[in-house]
Amino acid sequence: MGSWPGFASIFDADYWSLLPVFLVISAVVAARATSEGVSAQEISRRTARAVDFRGVQRTVGVGGLAVFLSGIAGTLPAISYLPATISLLSFTRVAARRVGLVMGTMLIVLALLPKAVAALITIPRPVSGALLMAILGLLFIEGVRAVTRDGLSRHRGFIVGLSLSVAVGLQSQPSFLELLGDPVAALLGNGVLVGVVIAVLLTSVFEMTSGRRQRFETVLDRSAFGDLDGFLRTLGDGMGWNSASGERLRAAGEETLTAMMQLLEDNPGDVPPRVVLNARPASGAVELEFLALFSEENIEDRISYLNEQASTPDVGDLSFRLLRLHAAAVRHRRYHGIDVVTVEVEGSAA
């Protein structure tokens, strides 16, 4: 009769060689869950609206909790992280909760019926292979959409292209990896790990070599306009912009602050919130990122509604119309505890 073997250490060479892979895959799974949350919101709404990232945060949180509980129970992770999820959402254009509940119920019932599972296993491999090819093709398209959702700049295109090329190249050349030994081959043999590491490194390099980020903090009230104007004037002069571009930059910042104050007046509080402005200069443009918590309404939605309203303008929409005029792009992302309003302003040198 055997005895209990006791506890054993798992921190061996295999553990340390697989740990980076699982950490990167966890980050990829979180990014995929984010894409699923965004796709579900875009498909569920009849009219186009800005994505509410509070719902996306809940999606990532619930998915992480499900994976954690699966690890404790010693079972496979939740089925919601199958690559087919995003593909099925975009292909069927169905993201209703009741459909998910029906599918979950069907899967539970099938798990309790061995004969039904055996029938599914008998599907010929060419048929399942053709289905997998279609799903992977749709998944690739969704990945391209996720990358280009906020525009595809030169830097972003270079990062995506180089990361994908190196990852695919190493994945398809196993004979080269055999010369490096087992630990290194185990790390470099995973295309996802290599691609993500290269993307992170290139992004860090471009961030360090880009224009110096400048920061400005204030309170969301009328007294902030003077300090904001001086900050943006100094920013435009430092970038060498001409007077017209500098005025456009200051006007865009002022109208963004006015729009935020207008939304704050709809839901007043006891103490006005603080606003943090991060300015990221780039080639021929500057990105203004306002961080605050002020309202339940979305500035991006408010600007998009201007095209649907009557030709007679509303006085309350004046700041939003001016912001749309001065800014090249406006994005408003709502998270739990913070709002992020990103305004991109283009300009030219003097």
Side-chain angles (χ1 to χ4, degrees), residues 198-318:
I198 292 177
V200 171
L201 291 178
L202 290 177
T203 303
S204 302
V205 170
F206 283 127
E207 284 289 333
M208 291 186 294
T209 56
S210 61
R212 181 174 175 269
R213 181 185 303 180
Q214 302 187 33
R215 182 184 178 93
F216 172 76
E217 294 188 24
T218 186
V219 179
L220 189 57
D221 58 18
R222 297 290 178 183
S223 62
F225 285 103
D227 296 336
L228 177 64
D229 184 79
F231 172 78
L232 295 178
R233 184 186 298 273
T234 304
L235 177 64
D237 295 340
M239 296 179 62
W241 282 8
N242 55 33
S243 58
S245 300
E247 291 178 1
R248 188 186 309 116
L249 175 63
R250 298 196 303 273
E254 179 181 347
E255 297 305 332
T256 303
L257 204 63
T258 304
M260 295 170 67
M261 291 181 57
Q262 185 171 336
L263 297 182
L264 179 64
E265 292 173 356
D266 299 335
N267 297 274
D270 298 334
V271 180
R274 293 195 62 80
V275 178
V276 177
L277 169 59
N278 293 319
R280 298 185 179 89
S283 177
V286 60
E287 186 179 81
L288 305 177
E289 186 180 70
F290 294 82
L291 291 85
L293 177 62
F294 50 87
S295 174
E296 288 295 323
E297 194 171 0
N298 191 291
I299 293 179
E300 189 176 348
D301 286 337
R302 188 73 173 266
I303 292 177
S304 64
Y305 291 158
L306 297 179
N307 298 326
E308 305 173 4
Q309 294 177 351
S311 57
T312 304
D314 187 359
V315 177
D317 295 331
L318 182 59

Side-chain angles (χ1 to χ4, degrees), residues 11-313:
F11 301 103
D12 52 8
D14 293 336
Y15 173 83
W16 294 112
S17 63
L18 292 175
L19 180 61
V21 177
F22 277 93
L23 290 177
V24 172
I25 290 177
S26 298
V28 173
V29 167
R32 184 183 298 167
T34 302
S35 299
E36 290 178 4
V38 172
S39 299
Q41 290 190 33
E42 292 177 345
I43 294 171
S44 300
R45 294 164 177 170
R46 296 182 181 274
T47 57
R49 291 176 56 190
V51 176
D52 187 355
F53 281 89
R54 293 173 298 180
V56 177
Q57 283 181 289
R58 291 192 292 268
T59 301
V60 176
V62 171
L65 179 61
V67 173
F68 177 74
L69 295 178
S70 300
I72 293 178
T75 61
L76 294 176
I79 196 173
S80 59
Y81 289 124
L82 285 177
T85 306
I86 306 177
S87 304
L88 291 176
L89 286 175
S90 60
F91 181 73
T92 61
R93 311 300 296 177
V94 175
R97 289 190 181 93
R98 59 180 180 272
V99 176
L101 293 174
V102 171
M103 292 180 63
T105 304
M106 291 174 58
L107 291 175
I108 293 175
V109 173
L110 288 175
L112 301 176
L113 299 176
K115 295 295 183 181
V117 177
L120 294 177
I121 295 177
T122 58
I123 296 177
R125 289 192 175 184
V127 176
S128 59
L131 178 61
L132 183 60
M133 289 180 59
I135 291 176
L136 292 179
L138 293 173
L139 181 62
F140 178 78
I141 296 300
E142 286 300 319
V144 173
R145 289 179 181 175
V147 172
T148 59
R149 182 171 287 116
D150 293 333
L152 189 63
S153 61
R154 292 181 303 163
H155 291 168
R156 186 176 297 178
F158 176 77
I159 292 172
V160 173
L162 183 60
S163 302
L164 183 61
S165 300
V166 175
V168 173
L170 289 177
Q171 191 79 30
S172 60
Q173 294 294 331
S175 58
F176 168 74
L177 298 175
E178 293 176 357
L179 302 176
L180 302 177
D182 291 338
V184 179
L187 292 176
L188 299 182
N190 189 290
V192 175
L193 174 63
V194 176
V196 171
V197 170
I198 292 177
V200 171
L201 291 178
L202 290 177
T203 303
S204 302
V205 170
F206 283 127
E207 284 289 333
M208 291 186 294
T209 56
S210 61
R212 181 174 175 269
R213 181 185 303 180
Q214 302 187 33
R215 182 184 178 93
F216 172 76
E217 294 188 24
T218 186
V219 179
L220 189 57
D221 58 18
R222 297 290 178 183
S223 62
F225 285 103
D227 296 336
L228 177 64
D229 184 79
F231 172 78
L232 295 178
R233 184 186 298 273
T234 304
L235 177 64
D237 295 340
M239 296 179 62
W241 282 8
N242 55 33
S243 58
S245 300
E247 291 178 1
R248 188 186 309 116
L249 175 63
R250 298 196 303 273
E254 179 181 347
E255 297 305 332
T256 303
L257 204 63
T258 304
M260 295 170 67
M261 291 181 57
Q262 185 171 336
L263 297 182
L264 179 64
E265 292 173 356
D266 299 335
N267 297 274
D270 298 334
V271 180
R274 293 195 62 80
V275 178
V276 177
L277 169 59
N278 293 319
R280 298 185 179 89
S283 177
V286 60
E287 186 179 81
L288 305 177
E289 186 180 70
F290 294 82
L291 291 85
L293 177 62
F294 50 87
S295 174
E296 288 295 323
E297 194 171 0
N298 191 291
I299 293 179
E300 189 176 348
D301 286 337
R302 188 73 173 266
I303 292 177
S304 64
Y305 291 158
L306 297 179
N307 298 326
E308 305 173 4
Q309 294 177 351
S311 57
T312 304

Side-chain angles (χ1 to χ4, degrees), residues 289-292 331-335 338-342:
E289 186 180 70
F290 294 82
L291 291 85
R331 295 185 297 274
H332 185 176
R333 301 187 297 275
R334 295 186 54 81
Y335 299 93
I338 193 170
D339 289 56
V340 181
V341 181
T342 305

